[in-house]
Amino acid sequence: MTAAPIPTLALRGADIPLLGLGTWRAEGDGAVLATATALELGYRHIDTATGYGNEAQVGRGLRSSGVPPDEVFLTTKLPPERAGRERATLEESLIDLGTDHVDLWLVHWPPNKQATPSTWEKFIELRDEGLVRAIGVSNYSVAQIDELIAATGEAPAINQVPWSPTDYDAQLVADHAARGVELEGYSPLRRTDLTHPTLVEVAATHGVSPAQVVLRWHLDHHVVVIPKSVHRDRIAANLDILGFALTAAELARIDEIGVRAG
C-alpha cells in the first residue's frame, strides 16, 4: 500500500493528526516500547492520560524515539477526581512527559458526572498561559458541552468518546458540528464486530483487513481515532490505512451498521 501523510484536522490552537496511538492499559516497558515503535513507524500523535498511570513511560518512549518533540502531537487528560487541582495535575503531567506543554488536554470524565464549568475555566486559563495548545473534553454529553459554552463562551475543541461503526449516530455528529466541536473516537476496534459482513466485504474490495476498514472509516468521516496496541505488527497495520479511501457508498453502508444497531 502506498504510504501517504497522515491527514490532520484543524482544532482551535493546534492541528491534530487524525490517526494516533492510544496507550490505555499500556504499562511499564510496554508503554515505552509502544510509544517509541509508533513514532519510528511514522505516527506523530500519542494519546495518554494521568489516569492511565503511564505518562512517565510515554515520556521515555518519546525521548528514546529520536523524533523531535515539536513533531509529535501529545494528548493527556485530567482525571475527574482532580477537579480543583487542575494546575498541579497539569504540571505533574508535564514533568512526567518531559515537555513544557501538551498539544491537547482533556477533562477525562465529567467530574461527579457534572459539566463543572469551574474546571473548564481553569483549562482556558492554563491554555492562555501556554501550557496547553488546545483544550477539550472526553465522555461529555451535548447538554454538558452546552453548559460549558453557556458559562464561559467557549466550546471544547474536541470531545473524545467511544466511537465505532456500531456507535455511529448522525445526530450526535451533527450536534457536535453545530457547536464547532470535533469528535475523537476511542476503542474503535474493541467496540466493533470485525466479522460483520459489510466490513468483511469492503475489506476484500480494498485488499485490507476489516480492522483497517474501521480505522479508515474514521478518517474518511474526519473523526480522530486512537487505536491502542503494544504489538509492533498491529501498530504497523493500524497505520497502514493511508493508501486507500472508502467511497461514499461504502461509508454509507458502514454507517448503517450503527443505525441498525441503534
Side-chain angles (χ1 to χ4, degrees):
M1 202 171 294
T2 304
I6 298 173
T8 61
L9 186 67
L11 299 182
R12 289 184 299 280
D15 290 346
I16 184 171
L18 278 168
L19 176 67
L21 177 75
T23 63
W24 179 52
R25 290 185 173 175
E27 300 174 344
D29 289 342
V32 178
L33 184 58
T35 301
T37 297
L39 294 172
E40 172 198 334
L41 291 171
Y43 287 76
R44 289 298 180 266
H45 172 190
I46 306 295
D47 180 280
T48 184
T50 297
Y52 297 169
N54 64 10
E55 288 173 307
Q57 288 73 34
V58 168
R60 283 172 54 198
L62 289 168
R63 291 188 292 278
S64 68
S65 73
V67 175
D70 61 0
E71 293 183 11
V72 182
F73 188 100
L74 189 58
T75 299
T76 193
K77 310 176 190 79
L78 175 87
E81 66 272 14
R82 297 288 186 93
R85 292 181 287 163
E86 294 85 3
R87 182 181 296 275
T89 301
L90 179 57
E91 289 174 347
E92 291 166 11
S93 292
L94 296 178
I95 290 170
D96 284 343
L97 291 165
T99 184
D100 61 1
H101 74 279
V102 290
D103 298 286
L104 179 62
W105 195 32
L106 306 177
V107 186
H108 204 158
W109 292 86
N112 296 313
K113 300 183 179 180
Q114 304 297 315
T116 317
S118 59
T119 286
W120 188 237
E121 288 168 356
K122 278 293 185 182
F123 268 54
I124 294 170
E125 176 183 324
L126 291 164
R127 187 272 316 276
D128 290 348
E129 289 181 20
L131 298 181
V132 184
R133 294 177 66 203
I135 51 176
V137 295
S138 182
N139 302 299
Y140 268 60
S141 68
V142 172
Q144 289 169 330
I145 289 172
D146 283 343
E147 189 174 339
L148 299 184
I149 297 170
T152 66
E154 181 166 341
I158 201 164
N159 188 14
Q160 187 183 110
V161 297
W163 199 247
S164 70
T166 306
D167 299 298
Y168 182 74
D169 179 342
Q171 187 60 56
L172 188 68
V173 173
D175 287 343
H176 280 76
R179 291 157 175 80
V181 180
E182 303 294 347
L183 277 173
E184 179 172 14
Y186 67 81
S187 298
L189 304 179
R190 291 178 67 249
R191 301 178 65 84
T192 300
D193 175 8
L194 295 175
T195 67
H196 193 286
T198 296
L199 298 176
V200 172
E201 182 181 333
V202 172
T205 298
H206 292 279
V208 299
S209 71
Q212 288 171 317
V213 168
V214 169
L215 299 180
R216 186 71 224 191
W217 172 82
H218 283 73
L219 267 61
D220 288 341
H221 270 309
H222 306 289
V223 172
V224 182
V225 64
I226 47 170
K228 176 262 178 179
S229 182
V230 295
H231 303 288
R232 184 184 181 91
D233 57 343
R234 292 181 186 170
I235 294 172
N238 291 342
L239 179 63
D240 192 21
I241 61 171
L242 304 174
F244 76 104
L246 302 174
T247 66
E250 288 170 336
L251 282 172
R253 288 183 62 200
I254 296 169
D255 294 350
E256 191 69 18
I257 295 173
V259 173
R260 293 185 184 279

